[in-house]
Amino acid sequence: MAVTGILGKKIGMTQVFDEKGEVHPITVLQAGPCVITQLKTLAKDGYEAAQIGLVEFVKSSKVNKPMSGHFGKSNVPPVKLMREVAVEAAAAPAKTDGAEGEAPAASGNGLKAGDRILVDIFSDDKYVDVIGTSKGRGFAGVVRRHHFGGGPKAHGHMFQVQGSIGASSFPSRVFPGQRMPGHFGVDQVTVRNLRIRGIDLEENLLMVEGAVPGPRDGYVLISKAKAPPRERRGFAGATTVDPLKASKKASAAKKK
Amino acid sequence: MSIHPVMQRLAEKLQRTDLPDFVPGDTVRVQVKIKEGEKERLQAFEGIVIAKKHGPQGSFTVRKMSFGQGVERIFPLNSRVVDKVEKVRSARVRRAKLFYLRGLRGKAARLKEVERT
């Protein structure tokens, strides 16, 4: 597998105990199953990527003609939603099913349109990034939207208001970017480096530590961590040694 | 809000099943794992179960009198700290939460024993 991401759904949160007996809050994500709907190639599109779709029941009347043509090209059933994810360089040249004579994708990473993607793409990873759409808060005030302090809470004050938004004679205008009330939520939010706490291949579940943006049953894009934390002491138990610190220690010992 | 079916199945998978059935009013002996440096040993905590919470994050509260001082410990059901739970005896109680025992001591804090399996 050389795809770096998968589409999923937020199921809910719970907690688990690890081997040390410490409790961790986890978010349960249903990741996939996904299918590759199209492969973008360097030769044709100028970059390498895979367009993946979340396999979920879609009414055939909800699929318009251009989309059904797109799905028909790679011979996949209609999918709920699609995203493009990066493709890793060819790691294993296996998975060349010789059944199809034409071999739609000639790229060397062993992927082809119609391939299924499951949670097991994360089985070697420790961290993932999750992109979701945050919960909608409607038209929100400044205290909620921008974490303003608000006014005094007693003696006849208004306490959820913003106060002054600028001086009068100079500059006699409001600077652009002044934070004000407005629509809040329903934004794309990325959470990076969530530790994987468990993978359930039977139910396509991925358990990550911490919160994930969006409501329950909200769709998310899970991808391999772009910049995972540096391997250091305590990264994988107390026995791991930070190479940087170890070398520093060694040089300090030499000087003495 | 009802629980998501996937969460329900996951909770059943994560739930530990080795603990015996016990209810509020039961006296239990909880073997607690204690870590001392590198070594791990067991310590018993014996007392009356005065509350039990159910569900995937369930817990139970054990109360005992220690040198005239009431001591309560709350154990998560799935906690690795709980090594074993032994049921010592059962008592007849008429409510699910026995918090009224906190206000009683000595003879008044006794419960009527009953045979239950």
Side-chain angles (χ1 to χ4, degrees), chain A residues 119-166:
Chain A
V119 233
D120 57 5
I121 59 169
F122 298 121
S123 45
D124 296 333
D125 289 273
K126 277 210 168 77
Y127 293 91
V128 288
D129 295 341
V130 178
I131 300 174
T133 308
S134 64
K135 281 185 186 174
R137 270 89 165 180
F139 193 101
V142 285
V143 175
R144 188 165 164 78
R145 192 177 181 213
H146 300 299
H147 302 297
F148 278 20
K153 289 188 179 135
H155 307 299
H157 279 287
M158 308 254 289
F159 38 79
Q160 286 264 337
V161 294
Q162 171 173 21
S164 168
I165 55 169

Side-chain angles (χ1 to χ4, degrees), chain A residues 11-19 21 28 30 200 203 205 207 216-217, chain B residues 1-2 4 6-7 9-10 13-14 35 56-57 76-81:
Chain A
I11 299 295
M13 290 194 74
T14 182
Q15 60 181 30
V16 289
F17 289 86
D18 66 5
E19 312 80 53
V28 182
Q30 191 162 43
D200 188 334
E203 299 232 31
L205 298 183
M207 277 79 92
R216 256 166 281 183
D217 285 342
Chain B
M1 196 188 154
S2 63
H4 199 290
V6 173
M7 291 298 279
R9 286 198 291 274
L10 182 72
K13 237 181 255 181
L14 295 175
K35 223 172 186 183
Q57 290 158 39
L77 277 173
N78 285 330
S79 171
R80 298 281 150 84
V81 170

Side-chain angles (χ1 to χ4, degrees), chain A residues 126-127 195 228-238 240:
Chain A
K126 277 210 168 77
Y127 293 91
R195 188 187 280 265
R230 192 164 51 93
E231 293 215 20
R232 55 170 191 259
R233 221 178 137 74
F235 176 82
T240 48

Side-chain angles (χ1 to χ4, degrees), chain A residues 58-72 78 82:
Chain A
V58 183
K59 234 172 160 181
S60 56
S61 62
K62 297 277 180 198
V63 185
N64 60 20
K65 271 194 176 166
M67 284 324 289
S68 63
H70 181 65
F71 295 134
M82 289 182 292

Side-chain angles (χ1 to χ4, degrees), chain A residues 9-79:
Chain A
K9 209 181 199 183
K10 176 170 162 181
I11 299 295
M13 290 194 74
T14 182
Q15 60 181 30
V16 289
F17 289 86
D18 66 5
E19 312 80 53
K20 271 194 246 165
E22 284 165 8
V23 71
H24 299 281
I26 58 161
T27 306
V28 182
L29 303 167
Q30 191 162 43
C34 283
V35 69
I36 297 179
T37 51
Q38 191 191 356
L39 273 178
K40 309 245 168 163
T41 56
L42 200 62
K44 205 173 171 195
D45 307 282
Y47 63 102
E48 294 265 346
Q51 189 189 61
I52 60 168
L54 181 63
V55 176
E56 215 170 88
F57 177 72
V58 183
K59 234 172 160 181
S60 56
S61 62
K62 297 277 180 198
V63 185
N64 60 20
K65 271 194 176 166
M67 284 324 289
S68 63
H70 181 65
F71 295 134
K73 212 182 251 176
S74 41
N75 203 13
V76 293
V79 294

